Amino acid sequence: MIKPDRNQQPDIFPVDKINFLQPEEHRLSNGSPVYLMHGGEQEIVKFDFLFRAGSWYDKRKLDSVMAASMLHEGTSSRTASQLAETFDFYGAQFNASPYYDNSYVSFLSLKKHLPTLLPVVSDILRDSVFPENEFEILRQKRKQKALVDSKTVGISAQRNFLRQVMGTNHPYAPIKSYDYYDTVTREHAHEFYRNHYTSERMSIIASGHVDNKTMELLEQSFGTPWGGKTDYAPDTSKLQLPDPEKIEIHKKGASQNAIAIGRLMPTLNHPDYPALKVLVTLLGGFYGSRLMKNLREDKGYTYSVHSSAIPFLQQGIFLTFSEVGTEVSEDAVKQIYHEMERLQNELVPEDELEMVRSYMMGRVLREFDGPFAMAQSFETIFEFGLTYGYYERLIETIRNITPAEIQHLAQQYLSPKDMTQVIAGNV
């Protein structure tokens, strides 16, 4: 047996192309689209039910959050404990998550248990009753969590940043205070559920060991229509986006300051987005980024600093976030802006850009590692009305973007004067 030479770097093979797993598109009898993505050897199936039921559709703040959180708290025929015991007995996982544009119901099960469990999931989606007692317990828990979060510098900085960059009344903006939970009602949340968790607003992505039998089971449990229709959408025509500001939020006794700096940016379906992903990764998107080298490795100001391009369906956001010692907070902010200005004024060296390329290509590969990851990647482009052409453009951009193009993007999107800045802590 020949032992490998551990002093010799293994060969590096660039990624030229990813073989995307193309979903089989079907429709239930009620018109709901279904996408089957077969892959993997284990007889496990994951279902992602997407409902147009995110906070974008809230008539009142928190309706979508409370509706998603109450889904599995009981139906007309099953109590919350019975639902939990059923899923536990069969080793299945059920989860409902509200988000900004859509809400997601995820269900994972062994394939052999689907004839028993899919009718239970259908019962939840069609006939959740929102028991008053469970609703009040949930309301109090979420209020208490919001109170605890409001005392945390990191969460305070990020939530105030979102309110400031979007505007307080924007559908994406978080609530101002934990007291807002005193205004939510079971009736409002259940009304939201009835209007938005409907077959007309549902799409299904099934991944794993799926086949024609899977489609038959989905048709049996979800094929008949339910729920009404709602055409409600927020009127954002009169909302004015705030001007960039610098906000300080005092937290007595805080040992660290949380820094949130960013602005509105194009979202996923904009032509600039793939290149912006490269720019933001270079700035602060991985452990070899400029901000990590500056604030962590060189200055020792923080354990972590991160920049993100966050794509909501209606709007995108650029955010740089870190928590630093109060005594170095002022200089940390200066260094963040300094790194933005360097990208505006200097060309990125090719060796640094090559490192970013390698990192980002690895991330893309992980997004397609296995059927569940592929389904999640497909889910992303499906929500934005895109095709796999998005990932092809992303790969092409990662491989071919030039230092001059990065500099031009930085000059367009990373000007410090356009940034909203929020610092929460001992300020």
Side-chain angles (χ1 to χ4, degrees):
M1 179 178 176
I2 300 176
K3 294 183 178 180
D5 184 358
R6 299 187 183 278
N7 295 315
Q8 183 68 34
Q9 176 179 308
D11 293 334
I12 297 175
F13 300 96
V15 178
D16 294 322
K17 183 179 180 181
I18 292 177
N19 293 321
F20 300 113
L21 180 62
Q22 296 292 341
E24 295 179 17
E25 184 174 355
H26 303 266
R27 282 196 180 270
L28 299 178
S29 296
N30 59 24
S32 298
V34 177
Y35 299 90
L36 301 182
M37 305 189 71
H38 179 77
E41 298 301 322
Q42 295 181 328
E43 293 201 353
I44 301 174
V45 182
K46 182 173 185 287
F47 298 91
D48 292 306
F49 299 84
L50 280 66
F51 291 91
R52 297 193 304 278
S55 61
W56 181 258
Y57 301 100
D58 276 344
K59 289 182 179 179
R60 296 161 293 266
K61 290 285 188 184
L62 301 178
D63 280 358
S64 58
V65 170
M66 298 302 291
S69 302
M70 284 295 297
L71 277 181
H72 59 291
E73 294 294 338
T75 69
S76 296
S77 57
R78 297 176 173 91
T79 65
S81 61
Q82 287 173 331
L83 291 171
E85 288 168 3
T86 299
F87 292 137
D88 286 346
F89 179 80
Y90 289 101
Q93 298 177 12
F94 178 94
N95 184 58
S97 303
Y99 201 56
Y100 292 93
D101 297 294
N102 294 300
S103 290
Y104 310 89
V105 175
S106 297
F107 174 65
L108 182 71
S109 171
L110 290 173
K111 183 178 179 180
K112 64 182 180 180
H113 297 320
L114 294 182
T116 301
L117 294 179
L118 281 181
V120 179
V121 176
S122 177
D123 188 32
I124 293 173
L125 297 183
R126 292 170 179 267
D127 189 34
S128 186
V129 295
F130 289 31
E132 188 68 53
N133 184 58
E134 280 77 2
F135 183 88
E136 181 59 23
I137 292 172
L138 174 67
R139 188 186 68 80
Q140 291 289 352
K141 284 182 177 179
R142 294 197 69 94
K143 179 182 177 181
Q144 182 62 30
K145 183 179 184 303
L147 171 60
V148 173
D149 289 345
S150 69
K151 299 178 180 179
T152 305
V153 294
I155 295 177
S156 293
Q158 293 184 61
R159 290 183 176 174
N160 276 277
F161 168 82
L162 275 177
R163 283 195 294 272
Q164 184 57 41
V165 78
M166 290 288 190
T168 300
N169 295 322
H170 195 281
Y172 290 158
I175 57 174
K176 287 184 177 180
S177 169
Y178 63 90
D179 289 334
Y180 203 94
Y181 276 96
D182 292 334
T183 70
V184 301
T185 68
R186 180 256 176 205
E187 289 73 25
H188 288 158
H190 198 249
E191 176 190 20
F192 185 92
Y193 158 75
R194 291 196 308 270
N195 288 337
H196 295 85
Y197 287 83
T198 67
S199 57
E200 186 266 336
R201 301 178 71 85
M202 176 181 71
S203 302
I204 304 173
I205 300 173
S207 55
H209 213 275
V210 295
D211 52 24
N212 291 336
K213 181 63 175 177
T214 309
M215 193 63 205
E216 293 175 10
L217 293 171
L218 286 173
E219 176 64 33
Q220 291 170 11
S221 293
F222 304 96
T224 57
W226 77 88
K229 291 186 177 182
T230 177
D231 295 324
Y232 173 78
D235 180 10
T236 57
S237 61
K238 297 180 181 179
L239 290 179
Q240 287 190 326
L241 298 177
D243 293 329
E245 284 195 40
K246 291 179 170 56
I247 307 296
E248 292 184 348
I249 303 165
H250 181 67
K251 299 289 183 182
K252 185 177 180 180
S255 60
Q256 286 191 314
N257 287 355
I259 302 168
I261 295 174
R263 55 164 292 179
L264 296 180
M265 269 194 174
T267 192
L268 198 74
N269 50 18
H270 191 280
D272 284 348
Y273 189 80
L276 283 170
K277 288 271 288 186
V278 180
L279 173 65
V280 172
T281 301
L282 178 63
L283 175 65
F286 74 120
Y287 270 93
S289 70
R290 292 192 171 191
L291 287 176
M292 284 292 283
K293 289 178 179 177
N294 186 327
L295 295 186
R296 173 175 165 155
E297 296 180 16
D298 183 32
K299 304 291 192 304
Y301 286 170
T302 184
Y303 176 78
S304 177
V305 56
H306 192 76
S307 297
S308 304
I310 306 170
F312 305 138
L313 188 57
Q314 309 294 336
Q315 183 65 65
I317 287 179
F318 160 70
L319 172 63
T320 291
F321 176 79
S322 186
E323 294 185 25
V324 303
T326 56
E327 70 282 358
V328 299
S329 177
E330 183 177 351
D331 190 54
V333 171
K334 290 180 181 178
Q335 295 303 323
I336 291 171
Y337 289 131
H338 169 68
E339 295 300 343
M340 292 181 187
E341 290 171 338
R342 279 185 62 206
L343 288 168
Q344 290 183 300
N345 299 325
E346 304 171 9
L347 292 176
V348 178
E350 280 290 349
D351 58 343
E352 183 182 8
L353 183 53
E354 191 59 37
M355 179 177 63
V356 174
R357 288 192 180 107
S358 297
Y359 168 78
M360 292 188 70
M361 286 305 304
R363 286 293 302 267
V364 173
L365 286 175
R366 283 196 293 275
E367 290 178 9
F368 291 90
D369 184 14
F372 297 159
M374 288 186 180
Q376 186 170 353
S377 297
F378 171 75
E379 185 178 304
T380 298
I381 59 174
F382 169 75
E383 288 184 82
F384 283 83
L386 301 173
T387 67
Y388 281 127
Y390 162 76
Y391 290 107
E392 292 170 348
R393 290 192 298 275
L394 176 61
I395 292 170
E396 181 181 0
T397 300
I398 293 170
R399 294 182 60 191
N400 298 315
I401 192 169
T402 67
E405 289 171 330
I406 290 175
Q407 183 182 37
H408 177 72
L409 279 172
Q411 291 169 350
Q412 185 176 358
Y413 292 107
L414 291 188
S415 178
K417 67 180 177 58
D418 295 329
M419 297 294 162
T420 290
Q421 172 184 307
V422 177
I423 301 176
N426 193 8
V427 291

